[in-house]
């Protein structure tokens, strides 16, 4: 059994106490050494949790990346008190008892592996939505592979990644914060795996259920490019996404929100710009997702 220490960060708005309790129970049942858990109330009180689970209640909602960053720092600077951190949605449920142990084995076997993206499956049907497979060739969700991004509420990160490249981008609040971290990690030489055998049960939902979805997606897409891409690629990447958005024929109100966010992405600060190396562009291309789509 690996000696790597595992922690877990769960952020909550306090409105799913039963689901949160079920998730915490599934984490407590993991094989191997116990997983230390921190639950962050993101601008809300934390519901009752089992003894031994640490809680942090933030006075305001810092968004998904901000809340998760607080959880990371609860394990010491850049999470250094543990070797691996699991990030789990509060309405999810670990399907197996061996997920933490599989993570330990994967990270121990591959020193360059920085992030693992779990497979998300509907608890009733077992179906994995295409959008939950973090690659372009997503037809077979049961195929594990190297990938270029990961799923925010169902993943494991080697904490040395945070020490190397920093945490999630607080400014994003919601949408694309995982890809921002993934690109920085890949640029620093880390690898990302999608593992179909590590499963988080999660009810099937549409991301557009969030009122701010279209604006945030557009704004953060621009920020993502401005922060991370070589200047020559920025207009190509954003042009492709503009075309894809129009081809999907969103409603008039959704399109207005999207263009408002797109404009906001150009006119507001996006945080520090650190363009990736051209060899990282080539690496992303070889992994099947060049940074133009």
């Amino acid at each position: 059994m690996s000696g790597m220490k595992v922690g877990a960060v769960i952020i909550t708005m306090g409105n799913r106490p039963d689901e949160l309790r079920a998730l915490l129970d599934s984490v407590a049942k993991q094989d191997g050494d116990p997983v230390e858990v921190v639950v962050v109330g993101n601008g809300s009180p934390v519901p009752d949790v089992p003894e031994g689970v640490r809680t942090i209640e933030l006075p305001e909602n810092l968004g998904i990346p901000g809340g998760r960053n607080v959880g990371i720092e609860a394990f010491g600077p850049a999470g250094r008190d543990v070797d691996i951190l699991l990030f789990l949605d509060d309405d999810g449920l670990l399907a197996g008892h061996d997920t933490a142990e599989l993570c330990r084995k994967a990270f121990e076997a591959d020193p360059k592996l920085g992030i693992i993206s779990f497979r998300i499956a509907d608890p009733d049907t077992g179906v994995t939505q295409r959008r939950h497979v973090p690659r372009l060739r997503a037809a077979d969700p049961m195929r594990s592979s190297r990938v270029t991004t990961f799923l925010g509420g169902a993943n494991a990160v080697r904490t040395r990644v945070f020490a190397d490249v920093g945490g999630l981008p607080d400014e994003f609040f919601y949408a694309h914060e995982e890809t921002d971290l993934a690109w920085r990690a890949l640029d620093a030489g880390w690898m990302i795996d999608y593992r179909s055998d590590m499963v988080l049960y999660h009810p099937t939902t549409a991301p557009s259920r969030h009122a701010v979805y279209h604006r945030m997606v557009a704004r953060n897409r621009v920020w993502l490019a401005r922060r991370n891409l070589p200047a020559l690629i920025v207009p190509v990447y954003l042009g492709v996404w503009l075309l894809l958005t129009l081809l999907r024929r969103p409603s008039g109100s959704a399109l207005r929100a999207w263009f408002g966010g797109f404009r906001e992405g150009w006119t507001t600060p996006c945080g520090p710009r650190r363009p990736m190396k051209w060899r990282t562009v080539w690496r992303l291309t070889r992994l099947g997702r060049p940074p133009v789509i």
Side-chain angles (χ1 to χ4, degrees):
M1 183 170 61
S2 167
M4 298 186 85
K5 295 174 65 175
V6 181
V9 173
I10 301 164
I11 58 174
T12 183
M13 300 293 290
N15 55 353
R16 296 190 279 235
D18 294 339
E19 292 90 338
L20 174 61
R21 189 62 179 244
L23 171 62
L24 292 171
D25 288 346
S26 74
V27 174
K29 292 175 182 174
Q30 292 300 298
D31 298 336
D33 292 335
V35 176
E36 184 181 345
V37 181
V38 169
V39 177
V40 179
N42 215 353
S44 67
V46 175
D48 289 338
V49 297
E51 188 176 348
V53 173
R54 285 194 286 156
T55 62
I56 300 171
E57 294 186 352
L58 302 177
E60 62 178 309
N61 183 354
L62 299 182
I64 294 172
R68 288 187 175 137
N69 283 337
V70 169
I72 293 167
E73 295 300 310
F75 289 92
R80 69 184 182 192
D81 294 346
V82 293
D83 303 296
I84 303 163
L85 277 176
L86 311 180
F87 295 87
L88 307 170
D89 275 352
D90 69 342
D91 56 346
L93 186 76
L94 289 173
H97 294 180
D98 60 349
T99 303
E101 195 63 10
L102 287 171
C103 287
R104 292 183 181 101
K105 291 176 180 176
F107 284 120
E108 197 167 62
D110 184 353
K112 296 309 294 178
L113 179 60
I115 302 171
I116 298 173
S117 190
F118 301 163
R119 181 166 65 89
I120 293 179
D122 185 273
D124 297 321
T125 65
V127 170
T128 297
Q129 292 180 274
R130 188 181 182 90
R131 69 182 181 89
H132 283 153
V133 182
R135 58 177 179 243
L136 290 179
R137 296 173 182 171
D140 181 10
M142 301 308 293
R143 179 173 68 87
S144 299
S145 68
R146 283 258 147 103
V147 290
T148 62
T149 189
F150 63 100
L151 305 173
N155 66 80
V157 181
R158 191 193 297 265
T159 54
R160 278 179 52 206
V161 172
F162 299 126
D164 274 2
V165 305
L168 295 154
D170 287 332
E171 309 96 311
F172 281 41
F173 197 84
Y174 164 78
H176 301 319
E177 66 272 6
E178 303 92 351
T179 300
D180 187 89
L181 176 61
W183 283 1
R184 286 183 283 125
L186 288 164
D187 198 48
W190 295 102
M191 301 302 288
I192 306 170
D193 279 355
Y194 166 72
R195 288 282 296 263
S196 64
D197 57 333
M198 301 183 191
V199 179
L200 184 86
Y201 285 142
H202 189 281
T204 299
T205 56
S208 54
R209 71 192 185 279
H210 298 291
V212 298
Y213 172 76
H214 297 286
R215 180 175 69 87
M216 292 288 197
V217 160
R219 183 197 69 181
N220 292 0
R221 183 79 68 187
V222 178
W223 282 359
L224 182 67
R226 288 175 59 198
R227 285 164 59 96
N228 295 288
L229 293 180
L232 287 174
I233 299 180
V234 171
V236 180
Y237 176 79
L238 295 176
V240 167
W241 278 103
L242 172 60
L243 179 62
L244 286 173
T245 299
L246 295 173
L247 289 174
R248 290 167 179 167
R249 303 179 68 182
S251 67
S253 61
L255 198 57
R256 283 191 296 274
W258 193 93
F259 274 108
F262 193 80
R263 183 169 54 251
E264 187 182 343
W266 285 107
T267 58
T268 54
C270 63
R273 171 166 166 77
R274 298 188 182 96
M276 66 178 64
K277 307 174 191 75
W278 281 102
R279 68 172 181 238
T280 306
V281 173
W282 175 236
R283 179 197 252 185
L284 288 162
T285 303
R286 285 190 292 115
L287 287 170
R289 189 152 197 159
V292 295
I293 190 169

